[in-house]
Amino acid sequence: MDDGPPPLANPAVNDRGLKEPALAYDYFKSMVSVSVATLGGILTLGETVFGARLSSGQVIMAALPLALSGMLALQGQTDIAQVLQGLKPPLNSSKAGLKLVPALYGLGVGVFLAFLALSYFAPDVAAKLK
């Protein structure tokens, strides 16, 4: 039994629209870790260091897209693993995940930074958004 990475040219995965399934698998694996780490950082910073500047609602609005990004990355990773094992995933989201995962990740980080910047540079506007 080979313990190496999945083959780069697997017809079953290529039929699903992925040209390089091993790269997509590794990308999703990395994005799960990055999303979880960023989510933890935003929740920690939003409730401790910047707790007086950001409301809980603002932190949740930033955390939600990050959590969705990590969940979609995990689902994409699972779909690729199932296809490589010869199984048909119930909902193959790996191709859509390649576009949605970075978009949701960027949205979450951007929302957090926007709320944080507003709290420093336009506190009157930030106060209305709380």
Side-chain angles (χ1 to χ4, degrees), residues 64-104:
L64 188 60
L66 284 168
L68 289 173
S69 174
M71 288 173 39
L72 284 174
L74 183 61
Q75 183 60 45
Q77 187 180 3
T78 302
D79 289 346
I80 291 171
Q82 287 177 343
V83 170
L84 289 173
Q85 292 176 3
L87 304 171
K88 184 177 190 265
L91 175 64
N92 189 5
S93 60
S94 54
K95 190 173 179 182
L98 289 172
K99 292 181 177 33
L100 288 173
V101 167
L104 288 169

Side-chain angles (χ1 to χ4, degrees), residues 7-19 21 83-84:
L8 290 178
N10 184 330
V13 179
N14 289 341
D15 290 344
R16 303 275 186 222
L18 296 174
K19 293 180 183 177
V83 170
L84 289 173

